[in-house]
Amino acid sequence: MARWPATGSASLVHGNLDRGWHREEGSETPRSGEARVRLSRHQTVGCMVYHSGMSPVYAVRTGEVSSEIVENEALIIELESGNYFTTNGLGCFVWQMLGAGCSVDRICREISAATDRSVEAVGEEVRDFIADLEEQGLIVPTTTLPEPDELGLDWETLDAQGPPVLEKYTDMRELLLIDPIHEVDEQGWPVKADPEAPA
Amino acid sequence: MSVAAFFSSAHQAYSTAVSRAGSETIVSLDLAGFSLELRFAGASLVEEVTRSLEHLSTADGNGRKLCICLWDEASSGCQLPARPWPLSAHTTRGEVKGIEDSRFEVAYGRGHFALNLLDKATDRALFCTKSAAEVIPQAWAYPLQTILNWWTRDLGVQMAHLGGVGVDGNAVLLAGMAGSGKSATGISCLLEGLEYLGDDHCLLRRDGDLYAYCVYSSGKLEKSFIGRFPALVPHAVASDQRDARKAVVYLAQLFPGRIRRKSRVKAIVAPILSPAEKTRLVPTGLSPVFRSLVTSFLVQTPGAGAAEIRNLGYLLEGVPSYRLYIGGDGAAPRRIRELLGELI
């Protein structure tokens, strides 16, 4: 039986993939007030950092970024801005492997083995996706993570096709900024925002 | 000045406020088996804070006890000491950046603009507003949310941005962002005779099954919307302040028999307003429901982060999820009652 999660532990929730949020772009009407952007990157490799003779390794920005896997979808929240992101299918697996400390080469090899595709074919998609994650401030290059031995991923649950895609939502950012606690008076008390002031 | 020294000085300010008021009001509550002791300097803040908590006032909590001291600067004349952090340390969400002492939690709560402090080592907390008169009524519908989230999240109980309604101790949780119809659904169900666990916040705990606990017996509705519930209009508390969009109804006073303090959770339902349709329930995956409840809770709760998202993932795993398309036929309470009949 599952126990109350201890601080620092990872929690995976597996179940049926909810397909309702992953139709082709434009086929779904966003919720009222919701702003959603499907990030895509086709030609550029972004701002990847390569170490001489080493495959790059990234770390999730601890403290600023929180995430959880629910039904094969990674929900990633950037707490300072209120922006949040989802990724399913391969993207969810890439996110979990990054969190476990896998190098980019290791991620490509794992996906290649699981999907019967060449490392080269997988590599371009993975690097584009990781560049999106870095550009959105969700991960940072690091050299300090030990490479994990066992990943414990259940590849049987991978039932979505296509390259990894990061979807960005900004509706929570708007909610956060309705009532911001940022400006303070000289005693240290927050100053209430004027609800009729221009944004 | 360290945070520990600031906490001590702030507590001294509370003691001075008690002396000036000439008395201390103590209210004992039982929340999910834990004891809460609210201590007020005189009578200030007592009514505002306790109105949505009065259903918890049978003081038989025998578990761990949290003591919270509450006062407001304006009425007591007792100010907090100078903050030991720079004025630039506040985040949009209310946290104070750069505090290294993990024994303490510090944040300004959204809505009340009150300073919340918790000393986790001694289970003591402080809640101080600059002026209670400036707090909009809707913020008093869910007082102390920041402190209660900090304190309970390490005790196997997690605050969640969820409403709840039920029948005979079995409940569905209501999930959704502001404006989704969560509060209207909860209040409609209450008026149709269902049990009520809240419209915006519940505590969740797994004890074999998943249980939800009512924290606040209040309900909030847009001021322009409350006319659809004529029975509640005379009891609605509203304000003319420009940022006070919602009216609050304190439901424990009106429907004491329908406030349910604890229920077994059978499903999560996400209301969606669809006036042109017939009301219907459609099974869905947990992930979109989880996404909305987690993001809205984290964005609005100072200090919430990885621990809360992990706890909610653990608690809600495997709970059946539905979308409730709310038509103009007023059938939402009936559909929820039917769903519970099928799941029990």
Side-chain angles (χ1 to χ4, degrees), chain A residues 121-135:
Chain A
V122 167
E124 184 175 356
E125 295 175 0
V126 168
R127 288 186 170 86
D128 285 354
F129 179 69
I130 289 174
D132 282 338
L133 294 172
E134 187 182 13
E135 194 169 275

Side-chain angles (χ1 to χ4, degrees), chain A residues 3-4 8 14 17 30 57-58 71 109 119 173-174 193 196:
Chain A
R3 296 185 305 161
W4 187 248
H14 294 293
L17 182 69
V57 181
Y58 291 84
E71 295 178 343
R109 289 198 307 274
V119 173
R173 178 178 175 78
E174 291 159 15
E196 296 188 357

Side-chain angles (χ1 to χ4, degrees), chain B residues 257-340:
Chain B
R258 293 185 200 165
I259 307 301
R260 185 85 189 190
R261 293 175 61 167
K262 175 185 179 184
S263 279
R264 186 180 283 106
V265 174
K266 292 296 181 183
I268 304 178
V269 168
I272 298 169
L273 296 173
S274 305
E277 299 184 64
K278 277 189 171 181
T279 299
R280 59 197 171 96
L281 275 162
V282 178
T284 184
L286 176 61
S287 60
V289 178
F290 186 81
R291 183 190 313 151
S292 73
L293 76 92
V294 166
T295 51
S296 55
F297 180 70
L298 262 62
V299 162
Q300 296 180 80
T301 307
E308 284 81 357
I309 199 172
R310 258 196 327 267
N311 292 349
L312 289 166
Y314 158 75
L315 288 164
L316 297 172
E317 178 182 1
V319 178
S321 304
Y322 299 83
R323 293 187 197 274
L324 174 65
Y325 294 91
I326 302 175
D329 52 6
R334 191 165 72 244
R335 293 283 172 271
I336 288 176
R337 195 184 281 276
E338 289 167 356
L339 175 66
L340 280 167

Side-chain angles (χ1 to χ4, degrees), chain A residues 1-23 28 31-34 36 62-63 65-86 169 171-197, chain B residues 73 79-83 85 87-88 90-95 97 108-115 128-130 134-136 152-158 177-178 204-208 241-243 245 284-292 294-300 302 304-307 309-318 321 323:
Chain A
M1 183 178 132
R3 296 185 305 161
W4 187 248
T7 301
S9 71
S11 172
L12 302 183
V13 183
H14 294 293
N16 296 325
L17 182 69
D18 175 63
R19 295 174 182 279
W21 288 82
H22 300 281
R23 298 168 194 158
E28 182 180 13
R31 297 190 308 264
S32 173
E34 178 181 89
R36 182 162 64 108
T62 311
V65 174
S66 290
S67 68
E68 180 73 5
I69 313 297
V70 175
E71 295 178 343
N72 294 348
E73 177 183 278
L75 169 64
I76 308 162
I77 305 175
E78 210 281 300
L79 293 167
E80 182 65 20
S81 68
N83 291 333
Y84 63 101
F85 305 82
T86 60
Y169 300 78
D171 49 334
M172 282 298 136
R173 178 178 175 78
E174 291 159 15
L175 183 63
L176 183 68
L177 295 176
I178 287 173
D179 191 18
I181 299 179
H182 224 35
E183 302 298 323
V184 292
D185 64 19
E186 60 275 16
Q187 277 82 44
W189 285 109
V191 178
K192 290 172 74 171
D194 181 348
E196 296 188 357
Chain B
E73 284 189 344
Q79 295 191 340
L80 283 166
R83 309 329 187 236
W85 50 80
L87 299 184
S88 59
H90 301 81
T91 70
T92 306
R93 215 168 47 144
E95 298 100 336
K97 289 184 288 190
Y108 290 91
R110 290 165 65 84
H112 306 94
F113 291 93
L115 185 59
C128 180
T129 64
K130 182 180 181 185
E134 293 182 14
V135 178
I136 55 177
T152 55
R153 70 184 171 192
D154 295 329
L155 301 177
V157 186
Q158 179 59 57
M177 319 258 266
L204 300 177
R205 166 190 272 164
R206 269 210 186 272
D207 184 10
Q241 287 174 256
R242 285 184 299 178
D243 51 348
R245 292 181 295 110
T284 184
L286 176 61
S287 60
V289 178
F290 186 81
R291 183 190 313 151
S292 73
V294 166
T295 51
S296 55
F297 180 70
L298 262 62
V299 162
Q300 296 180 80
I309 199 172
R310 258 196 327 267
N311 292 349
L312 289 166
Y314 158 75
L315 288 164
L316 297 172
E317 178 182 1
S321 304
R323 293 187 197 274

Side-chain angles (χ1 to χ4, degrees), chain A residues 44-66:
Chain A
T44 63
V45 182
C47 45
M48 297 275 290
V49 175
Y50 289 92
H51 306 286
S52 177
M54 296 172 59
S55 174
V57 181
Y58 291 84
V60 175
R61 289 179 60 225
T62 311
E64 290 83 13
V65 174
S66 290

